[in-house]
Amino acid sequence: MRDVIIIGSGPAGLTAAIYTARANLAPLVIAGMEQGGQITLTDDLENYPGFPDGVKGFELYQILEKQAQRFGAEMLYDVVTQVDLKGSAKKVKTADKEFTAKAVIIATGSTPKKLNILGEKEYTGKGVSYCATCDGFFYTGKHVAVIGGGNSALDEGLFLTRFADRVTIIHRRDRLRADAILQERAFQNEKIEFIWDTVVEVVAGDKVVTGLKLRNVKTQETTDFAVDGVFVFVGHFPNVELFKDQIKLDDAGYIDTDNRTFTNIAGVFACGDVQDNIYRQAITAAGTGCQSAIEAEKYIAALEGQSYPGK
Ligand code: NAP
């Protein structure tokens, strides 16, 4: 039986790996479908402490992974398919392997929300995208729409101006949710324009996206709007599917943790975006990853009848 299994490899999971590895718990990190998590979808992280010139999302993932491996964390690039967390030996399965551990740290993050409108699914990968870093280059010299009014929409909208000639940000209200600094940059950028109080009802196309059907929520007027691509940034939902029958969720559907990252099951801790509906930053994910690791260490020490410093 292993000491600790960490599910997820974003900043939360990898920080938990660094701390548990340094505590000689030889953690197994099961990386999941999107290695590195959502930071790898971000071009530049400008607010992660310690990087005054910013850091590429993918680079930060590589740095964190290397740091965890240096202290003995084992990476498994696989996807967890089933868990049984109730007993004292926690079971974690992938398609062809089964592991048991004394403690499990859940760091499965969250996934971008979809608009769930006509044409969205059909044209995903053919003009509908959820990742500017991945797909921005394809829109060099073109016109793209960005849906949303939060930090992601503005951050990614600004990034898209490196390629596209014109970026139209379409927001359902007349006020942005994004940080003031991003709003200022977007308002000053000549390539960016805004359409306010407007929702997208249909993604239209002919093999690839050709336009959007828009509805003004105040006047109810509908218009056809020609674009070459559409980037959707309308928030996230937590990746709880594997756990929802065993672990208590909060009202918003996130894993319910206390301020020490405990879940309702002894020996199971949760950190990062899967349990955070408020901050959802790479640095807060890393912070809670550290908390989970320290709590897992304490839990294992107590199981073995040892005292833990500072307990
Ligand atoms: P978010 O803050 O939840 O914003 C989602 C945006 O999408 C909101 O403006 C929302 O409108 C809009 N929206 C939601 N559902 C919609 C729908 N069905 N149709 C049209 N619009 C819809 O999500 P986020 O921007 O992805 O950010 C997530 C977290 O990551 C936040 O905590 C954010 O601060 C953080 N983040 C930070 C940075 C950074 O610091 N540079 C960058 C990216 C993300 P309303 O405003 O009307 O609700």
Side-chain angles (χ1 to χ4, degrees):
M1 178 149 66
R2 290 183 168 265
D3 282 319
V4 186
I5 292 176
I6 298 166
I7 308 176
S9 55
L14 290 174
T15 303
I18 292 167
Y19 274 77
T20 49
R22 282 177 54 82
N24 280 341
L25 296 177
L28 173 69
V29 181
I30 305 182
M33 199 92 80
E34 279 167 25
Q35 290 156 33
Q38 284 191 65
I39 54 165
T40 62
L41 304 180
T42 305
D43 185 49
D44 250 330
L45 272 90
E46 289 188 336
N47 51 10
Y48 197 89
F51 296 91
D53 301 319
V55 58
K56 301 276 175 214
F58 194 78
E59 195 186 337
L60 181 61
Y61 154 55
Q62 290 177 313
I63 292 170
L64 292 172
E65 186 180 80
K66 193 169 160 198
Q67 194 174 353
Q69 285 173 317
R70 182 180 151 215
F71 298 112
E74 185 186 339
M75 299 297 299
L76 178 68
Y77 303 103
D78 206 344
V79 177
V80 174
T81 54
Q82 215 183 327
V83 292
D84 181 356
L85 302 171
K86 290 260 159 58
S88 53
K90 320 286 180 201
K91 294 194 183 100
V92 177
K93 289 185 190 171
T94 63
D96 58 357
K97 293 192 185 78
E98 181 171 335
F99 304 94
T100 53
K102 294 172 191 163
V104 167
I105 296 176
I106 300 172
T108 47
S110 63
T111 298
K113 274 188 193 158
K114 309 232 173 339
L115 289 167
N116 294 319
I117 54 168
L118 205 66
E120 183 182 24
K121 199 169 170 196
E122 186 183 346
Y123 292 110
T124 293
K126 298 171 192 157
V128 175
S129 172
Y130 304 87
C131 176
T133 312
C134 319
D135 299 328
F137 181 76
F138 299 119
Y139 297 92
T140 304
K142 298 198 169 170
H143 175 204
V144 295
V146 168
I147 317 302
N151 277 333
S152 297
L154 266 66
D155 234 4
E156 308 292 323
L158 283 159
F159 175 73
L160 285 166
T161 62
R162 295 190 200 176
F163 310 101
D165 273 355
R166 185 177 164 205
V167 175
T168 306
I169 299 181
I170 301 170
H171 184 36
R172 65 181 177 183
R173 289 190 295 142
D174 58 3
R175 213 183 252 198
L176 297 168
R177 181 182 289 276
D179 292 348
I181 187 167
L182 290 175
Q183 295 199 27
E184 228 167 83
R185 281 187 206 163
F187 290 141
Q188 278 167 14
N189 192 306
E190 284 178 357
K191 286 187 176 178
I192 295 184
E193 66 191 16
F194 286 86
I195 297 182
W196 304 104
D197 299 314
T198 296
V199 291
V200 184
E201 289 198 322
V202 179
V203 179
D206 177 14
K207 294 196 182 104
V208 294
V209 168
T210 54
L212 304 172
K213 184 174 201 170
L214 305 180
R215 179 170 56 84
N216 183 299
V217 293
K218 287 191 174 152
T219 63
Q220 302 308 325
E221 189 189 341
T222 58
T223 44
D224 291 324
F225 188 69
V227 286
D228 301 303
V230 53
F231 288 80
V232 180
F233 300 110
V234 294
H236 298 86
F237 60 85
N239 296 325
V240 294
E241 201 53 37
L242 276 174
F243 318 104
K244 66 179 190 204
D245 298 333
Q246 299 174 49
I247 300 255
K248 189 166 172 260
L249 306 181
D250 65 18
D251 291 342
Y254 289 71
I255 291 183
D256 196 9
T257 51
D258 65 6
N259 62 6
R260 289 171 60 179
T261 76
F262 283 58
T263 68
N264 60 314
I265 298 182
V268 180
F269 307 88
C271 50
D273 284 13
V274 73
Q275 54 85 57
D276 172 16
N277 187 24
I278 301 172
Y279 305 106
R280 295 178 288 180
Q281 305 296 305
I283 188 62
T284 48
T288 51
C290 163
Q291 285 181 279
S292 285
I294 292 174
E295 295 300 349
E297 272 181 74
K298 287 185 187 178
Y299 172 80
I300 291 165
L303 281 184
E304 292 168 354
Q306 297 164 19
S307 65
Y308 185 92
K311 195 178 172 187

